[in-house]
Coordinates of all heavy atoms in Angstrom, one line a residue:
F28 N 41.0 -86.9 56.1 CA 40.3 -85.6 56.3 C 39.0 -85.8 56.6 O 38.2 -86.8 56.3 CB 40.5 -84.6 55.0 CG 40.1 -85.2 53.8 CD1 38.9 -84.9 53.3 CD2 40.9 -86.0 53.1 CE1 38.4 -85.4 52.1 CE2 40.5 -86.6 51.8 CZ 39.2 -86.3 51.4
H29 N 38.3 -84.7 57.2 CA 36.9 -84.8 57.7 C 36.0 -84.8 56.4 O 36.2 -83.9 55.5 CB 36.5 -83.7 58.7 CG 37.0 -84.0 60.0 ND1 38.1 -83.3 60.5 CD2 36.7 -85.0 60.9 CE1 38.3 -83.8 61.7 NE2 37.6 -84.7 62.0
D30 N 35.0 -85.6 56.3 CA 34.0 -85.4 55.3 C 33.3 -84.2 55.4 O 32.8 -83.7 56.5 CB 33.0 -86.7 55.3 CG 32.3 -86.9 54.0 OD1 31.4 -85.9 53.6 OD2 32.5 -87.9 53.3
I31 N 33.0 -83.6 54.2 CA 32.4 -82.2 54.2 C 30.9 -82.3 54.5 O 30.2 -81.3 54.9 CB 32.6 -81.6 52.8 CG1 32.4 -80.1 52.9 CG2 31.6 -82.1 51.7 CD1 32.9 -79.3 51.5
D32 N 30.3 -83.5 54.5 CA 28.9 -83.8 54.7 C 28.7 -84.9 55.6 O 28.3 -86.0 55.2 CB 28.2 -84.0 53.4 CG 26.6 -84.2 53.6 OD1 26.2 -83.8 54.6 OD2 26.0 -84.8 52.7
P33 N 29.2 -84.7 56.9 CA 29.2 -86.0 57.8 C 27.9 -86.7 58.0 O 26.9 -86.1 58.2 CB 29.8 -85.3 59.0 CG 29.5 -83.9 59.0 CD 29.5 -83.6 57.6
Q34 N 28.0 -88.0 58.0 CA 26.9 -89.0 58.1 C 26.8 -89.6 59.4 O 26.1 -90.5 59.8 CB 26.8 -90.0 57.1 CG 26.8 -89.4 55.5 CD 25.6 -88.6 55.3 OE1 24.5 -89.0 55.7 NE2 25.7 -87.3 54.9
A35 N 27.8 -89.1 60.3 CA 27.9 -89.7 61.7 C 28.6 -88.7 62.5 O 29.3 -87.7 61.9 CB 28.6 -91.0 61.7
P36 N 28.5 -88.7 63.8 CA 29.3 -87.7 64.7 C 30.8 -87.7 64.3 O 31.4 -86.5 64.3 CB 29.1 -88.2 66.1 CG 27.7 -88.9 66.0 CD 27.7 -89.5 64.8
E37 N 31.3 -88.8 64.0 CA 32.7 -88.8 63.5 C 32.7 -89.3 62.0 O 32.2 -90.5 61.9 CB 33.7 -89.7 64.3 CG 34.2 -89.0 65.5 CD 35.6 -88.3 65.4 OE1 36.0 -88.2 64.2 OE2 36.1 -88.1 66.4
H38 N 33.1 -88.7 61.1 CA 33.1 -89.2 59.7 C 34.3 -88.6 58.9 O 34.3 -87.4 58.7 CB 31.8 -88.9 59.0 CG 31.6 -89.3 57.6 ND1 30.5 -89.0 56.8 CD2 32.5 -90.1 56.8 CE1 30.7 -89.6 55.6 NE2 31.9 -90.3 55.6
F39 N 35.3 -89.4 58.8 CA 36.5 -88.9 58.1 C 36.8 -89.9 56.9 O 36.3 -91.0 56.8 CB 37.7 -88.6 58.9 CG 38.2 -89.9 59.7 CD1 39.2 -90.7 59.0 CD2 37.9 -90.0 60.8 CE1 39.7 -91.7 59.8 CE2 38.4 -91.1 61.7 CZ 39.3 -91.9 61.0
L40 N 37.6 -89.4 55.9 CA 37.9 -90.1 54.7 C 39.4 -90.4 54.7 O 40.1 -89.4 55.1 CB 37.5 -89.4 53.5 CG 36.0 -88.9 53.2 CD1 35.9 -88.0 52.2 CD2 35.1 -90.2 53.2
V41 N 39.8 -91.5 54.3 CA 41.2 -91.7 54.1 C 41.4 -92.1 52.6 O 40.8 -93.0 52.0 CB 41.8 -92.8 55.0 CG1 43.3 -92.9 54.9 CG2 41.3 -92.7 56.4
I42 N 42.4 -91.4 52.0 CA 42.6 -91.6 50.5 C 44.1 -91.7 50.2 O 44.9 -91.2 51.0 CB 42.1 -90.3 49.8 CG1 42.9 -89.1 50.0 CG2 40.6 -90.2 50.0 CD1 42.6 -88.0 49.0
P43 N 44.4 -92.6 49.3 CA 45.8 -92.6 48.7 C 46.1 -91.3 48.0 O 45.2 -90.8 47.4 CB 45.8 -93.8 47.8 CG 44.3 -93.9 47.3 CD 43.5 -93.4 48.3
K44 N 47.3 -90.9 48.0 CA 47.7 -89.8 47.3 C 47.7 -90.2 45.7 O 47.4 -89.3 44.9 CB 49.1 -89.3 47.8 CG 49.1 -88.5 49.1 CD 50.4 -87.9 49.4 CE 50.2 -87.0 50.6 NZ 51.5 -86.4 51.0
E45 N 48.1 -91.4 45.4 CA 48.1 -91.9 44.1 C 46.5 -91.9 43.6 O 45.7 -92.4 44.3 CB 48.7 -93.3 44.1 CG 48.7 -93.9 42.7 CD 49.1 -95.4 42.8 OE1 49.5 -95.8 43.9 OE2 49.0 -96.0 41.7
H46 N 46.4 -91.5 42.4 CA 45.0 -91.6 41.9 C 44.7 -93.0 41.5 O 45.4 -93.6 40.6 CB 44.9 -90.7 40.6 CG 43.5 -90.9 40.1 ND1 42.4 -90.1 40.6 CD2 43.0 -91.7 39.1 CE1 41.3 -90.4 40.0 NE2 41.5 -91.4 39.2
I47 N 43.8 -93.7 42.3 CA 43.2 -95.0 42.0 C 41.7 -94.8 41.9 O 41.2 -94.2 42.8 CB 43.6 -96.1 43.2 CG1 45.0 -96.2 43.2 CG2 43.0 -97.4 42.8 CD1 45.6 -97.1 44.4
P48 N 41.1 -95.1 40.8 CA 39.6 -94.8 40.7 C 38.5 -95.3 41.7 O 37.7 -94.6 42.0 CB 39.2 -95.3 39.2 CG 40.7 -95.4 38.5 CD 41.6 -95.7 39.5
S49 N 38.9 -96.5 42.2 CA 38.0 -97.1 43.1 C 38.6 -98.4 43.8 O 39.6 -98.8 43.2 CB 36.7 -97.4 42.6 OG 36.8 -98.6 41.7
A50 N 37.9 -99.0 44.7 CA 38.4 -100.3 45.2 C 38.3 -101.3 44.1 O 38.8 -102.4 44.3 CB 37.5 -100.7 46.4
G51 N 37.5 -101.0 43.1 CA 37.5 -102.0 42.0 C 38.7 -101.9 41.0 O 38.8 -102.7 40.0
A52 N 39.6 -101.1 41.4 CA 40.8 -100.8 40.5 C 42.1 -101.1 41.3 O 43.1 -100.7 40.9 CB 40.8 -99.4 40.0
I53 N 41.9 -102.0 42.3 CA 43.1 -102.4 43.1 C 43.8 -103.6 42.4 O 43.1 -104.6 42.0 CB 42.8 -102.6 44.6 CG1 42.3 -101.4 45.2 CG2 43.9 -103.2 45.4 CD1 41.5 -101.5 46.5
T54 N 45.1 -103.5 42.3 CA 45.8 -104.5 41.7 C 47.2 -104.9 42.4 O 47.4 -104.2 43.5 CB 46.4 -103.9 40.2 OG1 47.4 -102.9 40.6 CG2 45.3 -103.4 39.3
P55 N 47.8 -106.0 42.1 CA 49.0 -106.2 42.8 C 50.0 -105.1 42.9 O 50.7 -105.0 43.8 CB 49.6 -107.5 42.0 CG 48.4 -108.1 41.4 CD 47.5 -107.0 41.0
E56 N 50.1 -104.3 41.8 CA 50.9 -103.1 41.7 C 50.6 -102.0 42.6 O 51.4 -101.3 43.2 CB 51.0 -102.6 40.2 CG 51.7 -103.5 39.3 CD 51.0 -104.7 39.1 OE1 49.7 -104.7 38.9 OE2 51.5 -105.8 38.8
N57 N 49.3 -101.8 43.0 CA 48.9 -100.6 43.8 C 48.4 -101.0 45.2 O 47.9 -100.1 45.9 CB 48.0 -99.7 43.0 CG 46.7 -100.3 42.7 OD1 46.2 -101.2 43.4 ND2 45.9 -99.8 41.8
S58 N 48.3 -102.3 45.5 CA 47.5 -102.7 46.7 C 48.2 -102.4 48.0 O 47.5 -102.4 49.1 CB 47.2 -104.2 46.6 OG 48.3 -105.0 46.6
A59 N 49.5 -102.3 48.0 CA 50.2 -102.0 49.3 C 49.7 -100.9 50.0 O 49.6 -100.8 51.3 CB 51.7 -101.9 49.0
V60 N 49.2 -99.8 49.3 CA 48.7 -98.6 50.0 C 47.4 -99.0 50.6 O 47.1 -98.1 51.6 CB 48.6 -97.4 48.8 CG1 47.3 -97.6 47.9 CG2 48.3 -96.1 49.5
V61 N 46.7 -99.8 50.2 CA 45.4 -100.2 50.9 C 45.7 -100.8 52.4 O 45.1 -100.3 53.4 CB 44.6 -101.2 50.2 CG1 43.4 -101.6 50.8 CG2 44.2 -100.7 48.8
A62 N 46.8 -101.7 52.4 CA 47.2 -102.2 53.7 C 47.7 -101.0 54.6 O 47.4 -100.9 55.8 CB 48.3 -103.2 53.6
H63 N 48.4 -100.0 54.0 CA 48.8 -98.9 54.8 C 47.6 -98.1 55.3 O 47.7 -97.7 56.3 CB 49.8 -98.1 53.9 CG 50.2 -96.9 54.5 ND1 51.2 -96.9 55.4 CD2 49.8 -95.6 54.3 CE1 51.5 -95.6 55.9 NE2 50.7 -94.8 55.2
I64 N 46.7 -97.9 54.4 CA 45.6 -97.1 54.9 C 44.9 -97.7 56.0 O 44.4 -97.1 56.8 CB 44.6 -96.8 53.7 CG1 45.2 -95.7 52.7 CG2 43.2 -96.5 54.1 CD1 44.4 -95.5 51.4
F65 N 44.8 -99.1 56.0 CA 44.1 -99.7 57.2 C 45.0 -99.6 58.4 O 44.3 -99.5 59.5 CB 43.7 -101.2 56.8 CG 42.4 -101.2 56.1 CD1 42.2 -100.8 54.7 CD2 41.2 -101.6 56.8 CE1 41.0 -100.9 54.2 CE2 40.0 -101.5 56.2 CZ 39.9 -101.2 54.9
E66 N 46.2 -99.5 58.3 CA 47.0 -99.3 59.5 C 46.8 -97.9 60.0 O 46.7 -97.7 61.2 CB 48.6 -99.5 59.1 CG 49.0 -100.8 59.0 CD 50.6 -100.8 58.6 OE1 51.4 -99.9 59.2 OE2 51.0 -101.6 57.8
V67 N 46.7 -96.9 59.1 CA 46.5 -95.6 59.5 C 45.1 -95.5 60.1 O 44.9 -94.7 61.1 CB 46.6 -94.7 58.2 CG1 46.0 -93.3 58.5 CG2 48.0 -94.6 57.7
I68 N 44.1 -96.2 59.6 CA 42.6 -96.1 60.2 C 42.8 -96.6 61.5 O 42.2 -96.0 62.5 CB 41.7 -96.9 59.3 CG1 41.5 -96.2 57.9 CG2 40.5 -97.2 60.1 CD1 40.6 -97.0 57.0
A69 N 43.5 -97.7 61.8 CA 43.6 -98.3 63.2 C 44.3 -97.3 64.1 O 43.9 -97.1 65.3 CB 44.4 -99.6 63.1
R70 N 45.3 -96.6 63.6 CA 46.0 -95.7 64.4 C 45.2 -94.5 64.8 O 45.1 -94.0 65.9 CB 47.3 -95.3 63.7 CG 48.5 -94.8 64.6 CD 49.7 -94.5 63.8 NE 50.1 -95.3 62.8 CZ 50.6 -94.8 61.6 NH1 50.8 -93.6 61.5 NH2 50.9 -95.8 60.6
L71 N 44.5 -94.0 63.8 CA 43.7 -92.8 64.1 C 42.5 -93.1 64.9 O 42.2 -92.3 65.7 CB 43.1 -92.2 62.6 CG 44.2 -91.6 61.7 CD1 43.6 -91.1 60.5 CD2 44.9 -90.4 62.4
T72 N 41.9 -94.1 64.7 CA 40.7 -94.5 65.6 C 41.2 -94.8 67.0 O 40.6 -94.1 67.9 CB 39.9 -95.7 65.1 OG1 40.8 -96.8 64.7 CG2 39.1 -95.4 63.7
T73 N 42.2 -95.5 67.1 CA 42.8 -95.7 68.4 C 43.1 -94.4 69.2 O 42.8 -94.1 70.3 CB 44.0 -96.6 68.5 OG1 43.5 -97.9 67.9 CG2 44.6 -96.8 69.8
G74 N 43.8 -93.6 68.4 CA 44.3 -92.3 68.9 C 43.2 -91.3 69.3 O 43.3 -90.4 70.2
R75 N 42.0 -91.5 68.7 CA 40.8 -90.6 69.0 C 39.9 -91.3 69.9 O 38.8 -90.9 70.2 CB 40.0 -90.3 67.6 CG 41.0 -89.6 66.7 CD 40.4 -89.5 65.3 NE 39.3 -88.3 65.2 CZ 39.6 -87.1 65.1 NH1 40.8 -86.6 65.1 NH2 38.7 -86.3 65.0
G76 N 40.3 -92.5 70.5 CA 39.4 -93.2 71.5 C 38.3 -93.8 70.9 O 37.3 -94.1 71.6
I77 N 38.4 -94.2 69.6 CA 37.1 -94.7 68.9 C 37.4 -96.2 68.9 O 38.4 -96.8 68.3 CB 37.0 -94.2 67.5 CG1 36.8 -92.7 67.4 CG2 36.0 -95.0 66.6 CD1 37.0 -92.0 66.0
T78 N 36.5 -96.9 69.5 CA 36.5 -98.3 69.6 C 35.5 -99.1 68.7 O 35.7 -100.3 68.5 CB 36.4 -99.0 71.1 OG1 35.1 -98.3 71.5 CG2 37.5 -98.3 72.1
S79 N 34.6 -98.5 68.2 CA 33.6 -99.0 67.3 C 33.4 -98.2 66.1 O 33.1 -97.0 66.3 CB 32.3 -99.3 68.0 OG 31.4 -100.1 67.2
F80 N 33.7 -98.7 65.0 CA 33.4 -97.8 63.7 C 33.1 -98.7 62.6 O 33.3 -99.9 62.6 CB 34.8 -97.0 63.6 CG 36.0 -97.8 63.4 CD1 36.5 -98.2 62.1 CD2 36.8 -98.2 64.6 CE1 37.6 -98.9 62.0 CE2 37.9 -98.9 64.4 CZ 38.4 -99.3 63.1
R81 N 32.8 -98.0 61.5 CA 32.5 -98.7 60.3 C 33.4 -98.1 59.1 O 33.5 -96.9 59.1 CB 31.1 -98.6 59.8 CG 30.7 -99.4 58.6 CD 29.2 -99.5 58.4 NE 28.5 -100.4 59.3 CZ 27.2 -100.6 59.4 NH1 26.4 -99.9 58.6 NH2 26.7 -101.4 60.3
V82 N 34.0 -99.0 58.3 CA 34.9 -98.6 57.2 C 33.9 -99.0 55.9 O 33.7 -100.1 55.7 CB 36.1 -99.2 57.2 CG1 36.9 -98.7 55.9 CG2 36.9 -99.0 58.4
V83 N 33.7 -98.0 55.0 CA 33.0 -98.2 53.9 C 33.7 -97.7 52.5 O 34.3 -96.5 52.7 CB 31.6 -97.4 53.9 CG1 30.8 -97.5 52.6 CG2 30.8 -98.0 55.1
S84 N 33.7 -98.3 51.6 CA 34.2 -97.8 50.2 C 33.2 -98.2 49.3 O 33.0 -99.4 48.8 CB 35.5 -98.4 49.9 OG 36.2 -97.8 48.9
N85 N 32.6 -97.2 48.7 CA 31.4 -97.3 47.7 C 32.2 -97.4 46.3 O 33.1 -96.7 46.0 CB 30.5 -96.2 47.7 CG 29.7 -96.0 49.0 OD1 29.2 -97.0 49.5 ND2 29.6 -94.9 49.5
V86 N 31.7 -98.4 45.5 CA 32.3 -98.6 44.2 C 31.2 -98.5 43.1 O 30.2 -99.3 43.1 CB 33.0 -100.0 44.0 CG1 33.6 -100.1 42.5 CG2 34.1 -100.0 45.0

Side-chain angles (χ1 to χ4, degrees):
F28 54 97
H29 288 106
D30 197 291
I31 203 167
D32 181 21
Q34 301 301 313
E37 279 267 12
H38 183 182
F39 61 87
L40 304 171
V41 190
I42 66 170
K44 287 188 169 175
E45 177 188 356
H46 181 83
I47 299 171
S49 76
I53 294 166
T54 65
E56 289 70 38
N57 65 21
S58 62
V60 74
V61 178
H63 178 72
I64 283 173
F65 273 80
E66 283 181 39
V67 167
I68 289 171
R70 208 181 316 146
L71 288 176
T72 50
T73 300
R75 300 169 80 78
I77 298 168
T78 54
S79 184
F80 58 92
R81 185 170 287 178
V82 181
V83 175
S84 191
N85 298 317
V86 179

